[in-house]
């Protein structure tokens, strides 16, 4: 199920998909209902020949889910709960199954309350990946000179380095690295570094929301998984 949000590009259309994981369903009927701000919206759903391939249905009567104001101490939205009821499935051999109505589901609205959004060129953009990538870059600089023989912070770094490295890096390295890290970790410099890296075309944001060398294995794996 996908409820259209005000941050979606046009057309902002709610949709729901059905499929059968065991056998074929000749016909499925149900009523989909969404509720918000004292209003209920219903959509009659009837589909035929349901198998493992998803059947997508548009929920044209639903409005876009968007914040409408603060009431008391809570933010209210145009849509807040959804449910299916009066569900009937006709199986092969004309066998009819009545499906008990599930509980009403509350929309979490995390898309609006826990994310960073910016409107540009008539489109709302989600900035979560950008913010996380910049945060990772800032962490890298702030911890420079604190961990490992190189003084570099990396969550995925191996637990040990070849001992030969320590011969070439003296005690003087860490205070210098910390000073450089404090400077390069300043917020405006991190933003400048991030966009310079992206605009150069040499770096991309990988699946872990970190800047990666475009030709690195992590970046290639992410690109391959996204088709």
């Amino acid at each position: 199920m996908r409820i259209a949000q005000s941050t979606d590009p046009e057309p902002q259309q709610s949709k729901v998909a059905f499929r059968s994981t065991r056998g074929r369903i000749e016909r499925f009927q149900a009523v989909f209902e969404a509720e918000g701000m004292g209003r209920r919206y219903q959509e009659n759903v009837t589909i035929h020949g349901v198998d493992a391939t998803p059947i997508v249905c548009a929920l044209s009567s639903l409005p876009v889910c968007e914040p409408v104001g603060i009431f008391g101490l809570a933010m209210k939205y145009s849509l807040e709960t959804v449910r299916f009821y009066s569900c009937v499935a006709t199986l092969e051999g004309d066998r009819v199954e009545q499906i008990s109505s599930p509980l009403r589901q509350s929309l979490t609205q995390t898309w609006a309350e826990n994310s960073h959004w910016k409107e540009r060129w008539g489109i709302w953009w989600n900035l979560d990946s950008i913010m996380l990538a910049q945060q990772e870059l800032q962490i890298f600089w702030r911890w420079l000179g604190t961990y490992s023989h190189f003084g570099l912070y990396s969550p995925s770094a191996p637990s040990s380095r070849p001992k030969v490295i320590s011969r070439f890096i003296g005690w003087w390295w860490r205070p210098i690295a910390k000073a450089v890290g404090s400077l390069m970790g300043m917020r405006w410099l991190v933003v400048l570094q991030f966009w310079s890296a992206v605009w150069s075309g040499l770096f991309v944001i990988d699946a872990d929301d970190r800047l990666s060398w475009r030709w690195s294995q992590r970046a290639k794996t992410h690109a391959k998984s996204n088709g």
Side-chain angles (χ1 to χ4, degrees):
M1 180 173 57
R2 170 64 179 172
I3 302 299
Q5 302 163 353
S6 56
T7 52
D8 291 343
E10 297 288 347
Q12 296 170 332
Q13 178 70 68
S14 295
K15 298 178 181 179
V16 61
F18 301 88
R19 69 185 180 97
S20 174
T21 58
R22 293 184 297 175
R24 177 184 172 91
I25 299 176
E26 296 299 333
R27 184 177 61 197
F28 176 77
Q29 295 173 287
V31 176
F32 176 83
E33 181 178 273
E35 186 174 350
M37 293 303 296
R39 296 181 177 86
R40 296 164 59 195
Y41 307 89
Q42 292 187 347
E43 193 83 34
N44 291 314
V45 177
T46 301
I47 53 178
H48 301 267
V50 187
D51 55 20
T53 302
I55 298 175
V56 180
C57 300
L59 304 173
S60 56
S61 65
L62 268 65
V64 172
C65 184
E66 59 184 348
V68 294
I70 298 177
F71 296 84
L73 299 177
M75 173 71 76
K76 294 294 184 179
Y77 295 81
S78 55
L79 295 177
E80 295 184 332
T81 64
V82 297
R83 67 166 178 156
F84 282 96
Y85 65 95
S86 299
C87 304
V88 180
T90 303
L91 310 180
E92 293 179 319
D94 293 329
R95 182 163 60 93
V96 177
E97 292 285 348
Q98 299 281 343
I99 305 173
S100 59
S101 299
L103 296 175
R104 188 184 303 270
Q105 302 177 49
S106 297
L107 302 178
T108 61
Q109 313 295 7
T110 55
W111 63 275
E113 297 180 10
N114 296 334
S115 291
H116 298 84
W117 297 89
K118 195 75 171 181
E119 193 274 334
R120 283 290 185 272
W121 311 291
I123 298 176
W124 282 93
W125 302 87
N126 187 297
L127 305 182
D128 286 356
S129 291
I130 293 175
M131 300 298 291
L132 287 172
Q134 291 180 359
Q135 182 180 356
E136 285 293 326
L137 184 58
Q138 189 171 36
I139 290 174
F140 167 82
W141 286 118
R142 288 298 172 89
W143 288 98
L144 187 68
T146 302
Y147 292 113
S148 83
H149 293 289
F150 281 118
L152 304 183
Y153 163 81
S154 175
S156 56
S159 58
S160 61
R161 300 277 187 177
K163 293 183 179 180
V164 68
I165 296 176
S166 61
R167 301 175 186 173
F168 301 98
I169 301 178
W171 60 268
W172 46 267
W173 163 252
R174 294 192 187 279
I176 294 178
K178 286 184 178 181
V180 172
S182 297
L183 174 63
M184 298 298 289
M186 296 176 65
R187 177 61 187 168
W188 70 272
L189 271 178
V190 168
V191 174
L192 178 62
Q193 294 166 55
F194 173 82
W195 288 114
S196 297
V198 172
W199 288 334
S200 71
L202 301 177
F203 293 85
V204 296
I205 299 178
D206 63 23
D208 295 321
D209 294 325
R210 295 189 180 95
L211 278 178
S212 290
W213 182 252
R214 177 177 290 276
W215 296 275
S216 68
Q217 187 60 41
R218 290 168 63 87
K220 289 180 180 179
T221 302
H222 179 46
K224 185 176 181 180
S225 65
N226 288 332

